[in-house]
Amino acid sequence: MQESLAALDDHLDQIFESFYRRLISDRHFAGFFRDDAHIRSLVARQREHLRQALLEDLPTVRSRYVELGRFHHRIYVPFADFAVGIDFLADEFFRTVPEEEQGARIADDVHTFFRGVKDYTAKGYLECMLDEDARDLELFITAVRESREMASGLIAGYLLWLRQLLSALKLEREDMLPNLDIERSEFHRWLMSADAAQYVPAAEDRQHLMDLNRRIFTDAGNLFFFVKHQRYTEVLMLYDKISKYILTANNIVTVLVARLRMRELIRDPLTRLYNRKILDDTLTQGLRLARLVQRPFSVVMVDIDDFKRVNDTHGHRTGDCVLGGVAEIIRRFIRSSDYAFRYGGEEFLLVLNDTPLRGGARLADKVRKSIAETVFSCDGIDLRVTASFGVAEMHPERGVDLEDLVDRADHKLYLAKEQGKNRVVM
């Protein structure tokens, strides 16, 4: 092949002059160069690379263009742009070389030569990416391992799998490939388990992750077919897709875990009701909604009667059991548009949207009756408790201070206690 291509040396100056004019006339490619002198120097360098390559043996040509790929990666030229430039150059060969000199053999050799140029250059890009990704992976794996999240272990497993894939590619050792059986994948097994629902509650999110996982394993299984045939352009594209899929899957899991943690942070761990961290925001949203629909909303303050006696007589573990049981009753009666907070030790606060004062009092009385009628079984002890309720209303037509609204509900609760407990005062 080199002998037939060497005959084209006489045309190289004309070919590269045409190549140069094509580059500067294209706004996209012209943007990669500082000025005319810069582009001419690079084109001249390319010409000399090619002139020497036409006379060299295959291992030397390969080494030359692998290094050229590494060089272009270092100066931030995307491989797709470099590959299109090579296609431009091949076009110029066919356009410039007289027809009588071309012939079938030269045409085939030119095509094979430029295919090799793209593949060897792609290998240079790939080597740079593997080196960079290996360094980044070590940092990422260390950071993920330091996390105590269960899902972080899954992410670390994925990253270790990718590290093994990197090593196999770098050494071109198929026997070093990680497990490519998706059914044995730890991440796949986790997605299929009941535990995943805690982190990925939506079926469409789980399906998206399963699809990403399948694409990763399918593409990884195809890599060494192209490595064996030295088709590094395809290897580069497949590896780029795999790394993006893994990054996407990791990002999705990270976001879902963070979302779960945010939900946990705003809930009281004992009662599973909201804690006071989002109370101000909830009241503000309730006020905005009330003004929008011109309907009032109510707040209900709840306090378990004589709760200190429960703790002193039966212990704090029994007291916690009672708190959890009362919280469960509250959850049963409120709507999905309402909010229930653990306000203090044995105090709860309900925010009832689109609910006037009497509506709030009616709901409070239902909760009161249910608490009074419930026998709480805690560690072999059966006991009953009662609760008192204070209800206050916020009407959008009146001026309102949200802090004053809660204080009014608290004052009504105080009156309920004063009037004998186990009652609702509005």
Side-chain angles (χ1 to χ4, degrees):
M1 182 177 77
Q2 306 311 108
E3 292 179 3
S4 63
L5 291 178
L8 302 177
D9 184 71
D10 294 339
H11 303 287
L12 282 186
D13 290 339
Q14 185 180 352
I15 288 169
F16 272 90
E17 183 62 30
S18 298
F19 178 55
Y20 161 77
R21 286 196 299 270
R22 187 166 183 177
L23 287 181
I24 63 172
S25 66
D26 189 303
R27 285 193 301 175
H28 175 73
F29 286 98
F32 285 105
F33 308 103
R34 294 191 298 270
D35 49 39
D36 186 72
H38 183 225
I39 188 172
R40 276 203 174 275
S41 69
L42 289 176
V43 168
R45 188 183 306 174
Q46 290 272 38
R47 182 183 61 230
E48 291 312 307
H49 264 289
L50 195 57
R51 175 169 277 127
Q52 294 177 47
L54 291 173
L55 304 172
E56 292 170 339
D57 58 30
L58 190 58
T60 307
V61 171
R62 173 176 171 151
S63 176
R64 175 182 295 281
Y65 280 101
V66 167
E67 182 52 41
L68 190 65
R70 297 181 71 91
F71 168 75
H72 279 82
H73 184 273
R74 287 194 296 269
I75 63 173
Y76 307 105
V77 175
F79 177 74
D81 291 291
F82 180 87
V84 170
I86 292 298
D87 290 339
F88 283 176
L89 199 54
D91 290 344
E92 294 303 331
F93 267 90
F94 290 110
R95 196 193 321 254
T96 304
V97 176
E99 290 186 13
E100 60 271 16
E101 292 185 30
Q102 287 188 17
R105 182 182 174 189
I106 291 182
D108 288 344
D109 286 349
V110 167
H111 174 78
T112 301
F113 177 79
F114 280 107
R115 173 75 211 196
V117 167
K118 279 205 285 191
D119 279 327
Y120 302 148
T121 308
K123 181 170 173 58
Y125 273 84
L126 179 65
E127 289 178 355
C128 286
M129 289 175 63
L130 293 174
D131 289 342
E132 291 172 356
D133 288 353
R135 290 193 297 270
D136 293 343
L137 268 177
E138 293 308 314
L139 295 174
F140 201 4
I141 289 169
T142 300
V144 168
R145 278 175 166 169
E146 291 173 356
S147 172
R148 296 181 181 180
E149 284 290 349
M150 183 275 288
S152 296
L154 294 165
I155 294 172
Y158 234 153
L159 297 176
L160 291 170
W161 183 91
L162 181 59
R163 182 171 69 180
Q164 193 174 342
L165 183 69
L166 289 179
S167 298
L169 271 178
K170 188 162 186 172
L171 299 174
E172 297 193 2
R173 289 268 307 275
E174 190 171 11
D175 60 305
M176 291 178 60
L177 280 172
N179 162 48
L180 297 178
D181 181 358
I182 191 170
E183 303 300 328
R184 290 168 52 206
S185 157
E186 181 183 2
F187 191 69
H188 178 79
R189 289 201 302 267
W190 176 72
L191 281 173
M192 299 292 288
S193 72
D195 289 340
Q198 178 187 7
Y199 290 88
V200 197
E204 58 268 26
D205 287 335
R206 284 199 299 277
Q207 188 60 53
H208 186 196
L209 285 168
M210 285 181 186
D211 290 343
L212 282 171
N213 201 42
R214 191 163 297 282
R215 290 180 187 279
I216 290 165
F217 275 75
T218 299
D219 286 348
N222 289 332
L223 274 171
F224 266 80
F225 169 82
F226 296 107
V227 169
K228 288 175 183 176
H229 292 85
Q230 298 190 9
R231 299 287 293 268
Y232 294 105
T233 302
E234 284 77 9
V235 176
L236 178 62
M237 290 189 295
L238 277 177
Y239 173 72
D240 195 40
K241 283 170 60 183
I242 291 167
S243 58
K244 282 183 172 62
Y245 288 148
I246 290 178
L247 180 61
T248 299
N250 286 344
N251 286 344
I252 291 173
V253 172
T254 301
V255 168
L256 292 170
V257 169
R259 191 182 298 167
L260 174 67
R261 285 294 150 255
M262 287 301 295
R263 291 198 300 269
E264 294 296 316
L265 285 172
I266 61 175
R267 288 193 182 275
D268 172 60
L270 175 62
T271 64
R272 308 308 302 150
L273 301 181
Y274 291 111
N275 59 39
R276 292 175 64 171
K277 289 180 181 179
I278 62 165
L279 177 58
D280 289 345
D281 287 342
T282 303
L283 289 170
T284 301
Q285 289 174 4
L287 177 59
R288 288 176 185 152
L289 178 62
R291 286 174 172 164
L292 181 66
V293 300
Q294 284 299 293
R295 293 270 296 165
F297 75 92
S298 297
V299 297
V300 180
M301 190 73 80
V302 186
D303 185 82
I304 301 174
D305 298 325
D306 303 314
F307 186 72
K308 183 176 183 300
R309 187 186 305 165
V310 174
N311 279 333
D312 291 345
T313 304
H314 303 289
H316 287 279
R317 183 167 173 174
T318 299
D320 288 347
C321 172
V322 171
L323 282 170
V326 170
E328 178 57 37
I329 292 172
I330 290 172
R331 274 197 298 271
R332 209 160 59 230
F333 280 93
I334 63 174
R335 303 163 300 180
S336 60
S337 58
D338 300 327
Y339 293 85
F341 295 84
R342 186 180 181 188
Y343 193 73
E346 67 270 20
E347 282 189 316
F348 305 93
L349 180 70
L350 315 183
V351 179
L352 310 177
N353 288 309
D354 193 14
T355 303
L357 184 65
R358 291 192 181 278
R362 281 194 298 271
L363 181 135
D365 201 51
K366 290 178 182 177
V367 175
R368 181 194 65 79
K369 288 178 181 177
S370 181
I371 292 172
E373 293 168 357
T374 299
V375 176
F376 296 91
S377 297
C378 303
D379 292 334
I381 301 169
D382 291 340
L383 69 161
R384 293 177 182 270
V385 297
T386 61
S388 300
F389 297 75
V391 186
E393 175 193 73
M394 194 297 300
H395 201 285
E397 294 179 353
R398 305 170 196 149
V400 65
D401 181 327
L402 292 174
E403 186 175 342
D404 175 66
L405 175 66
V406 175
D407 287 343
R408 283 192 284 119
D410 194 43
H411 177 65
K412 299 295 183 181
L413 172 63
Y414 173 78
L415 293 178
K417 297 282 190 182
E418 287 286 298
Q419 293 174 20
K421 305 175 184 176
N422 188 24
R423 66 191 61 226
V424 176
V425 174
M426 61 179 182

